[in-house]
């Protein structure tokens, strides 16, 4: 927040220009590296996206193969809505997001997830992932980080759930939004 009382965010700092400005100050370079900022980072040309979400997966504690949605094409986004992610009832699982930040730091990267059954909202959650500097490589984060979620079980819990996920930052920029479905079943297949 700006200190002028307007409530407006401060102007964005051009990370590349800042690194160039500080390159002759070893202590500043060391400090920026300690924040995870790579002084050799090269932003991609022709791709203005700030965040690239490559995959969303559900991973299982019992070692079963993950169920993954990929987001490399428009067809992938459409397929996410049509192809249910099957979760065996009662298993423990967590979600994993594979993403890359490009061009500049993203403050307060978060996921909003809503789940619906028979048109009624049954869960609505926001998970803060954190602040990330740009990197050349993709990185993953697990949700939740240190625990597992137990899938519901029983006849009433089984069935297909519709869901909507949105990746945003503290400036309310939406980096990806998609619909998907989950099927709670007696078994994985």
């Amino acid at each position: 927040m700006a200190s002028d009382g307007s409530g407006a965010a401060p102007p964005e700092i051009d990370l590349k220009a800042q690194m160039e400005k500080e390159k002759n100050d070893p202590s500043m370079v060391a400090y920026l590296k300690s924040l995870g900022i790579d002084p050799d980072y090269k932003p991609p040309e022709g791709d203005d996206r700030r965040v690239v979400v490559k995959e969303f997966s559900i991973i299982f504690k019992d070692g079963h193969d993950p169920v993954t949605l990929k987001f490399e094409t428009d067809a992938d986004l459409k397929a996410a809505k049509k192809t249910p992610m099957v979760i065996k009832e009662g298993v423990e699982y967590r979600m994993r997001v594979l993403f890359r930040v490009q061009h500049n730091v993203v403050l307060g990267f978060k996921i909003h997830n809503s789940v619906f059954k028979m048109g009624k909202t049954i869960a609505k959650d926001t998970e803060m992932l954190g602040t990330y500097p740009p990197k050349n490589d993709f990185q993953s984060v697990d949700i939740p980080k240190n625990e597992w979620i137990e899938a519901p079980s029983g006849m009433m819990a089984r069935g297909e759930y519709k869901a909507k996920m949105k990746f945003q930052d503290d400036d309310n920029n939406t980096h990806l939004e998609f619909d998907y479905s989950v099927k709670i079943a007696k078994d994985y297949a």
Side-chain angles (χ1 to χ4, degrees), residues 4-136:
D4 64 5
S6 69
E12 192 170 274
I13 295 171
D14 180 336
L15 189 59
K16 186 177 178 182
Q18 188 67 31
M19 288 299 289
E20 184 64 29
K21 180 179 163 187
E22 304 295 349
K23 72 179 182 181
N24 294 324
D25 182 347
S27 63
M28 183 56 87
V29 170
Y31 172 70
L32 292 171
K33 282 183 177 179
S34 77
L35 297 175
I37 298 171
D38 179 1
D40 299 321
Y41 169 73
K42 301 283 187 252
E45 293 183 21
D47 186 354
D48 293 337
R49 295 176 293 174
R50 182 67 63 88
V51 177
V52 177
V53 179
K54 186 174 183 179
E55 294 179 357
F56 169 72
S57 300
I58 297 176
I59 57 173
F60 302 100
K61 187 175 182 180
D62 67 5
H64 189 272
D65 290 339
V67 180
T68 300
L69 298 174
K70 295 184 184 284
F71 303 113
E72 297 184 47
T73 67
D74 288 338
D76 290 340
L77 280 172
K78 290 176 185 168
K81 187 174 185 175
K82 296 176 185 171
T83 309
M85 301 177 84
V86 178
I87 300 175
K88 180 181 174 183
E89 65 181 344
V91 300
E92 292 182 292
Y93 70 94
R94 66 172 59 134
M95 297 172 280
R96 178 171 289 158
V97 179
L98 183 66
F99 68 97
R100 176 178 68 208
V101 172
Q102 14 184 73
H103 302 291
N104 217 335
V105 174
V106 169
L107 302 172
F109 187 43
K110 57 186 154 268
I111 297 175
H112 302 285
N113 190 46
S114 299
V115 180
F116 312 90
K117 187 165 185 181
M118 297 174 15
K120 188 174 185 178
T121 303
I122 60 167
K124 195 172 190 175
D125 300 301
T126 297
E127 184 77 29
M128 177 60 74
L129 301 180
T131 295
Y132 294 91
K135 293 188 182 235
N136 292 315

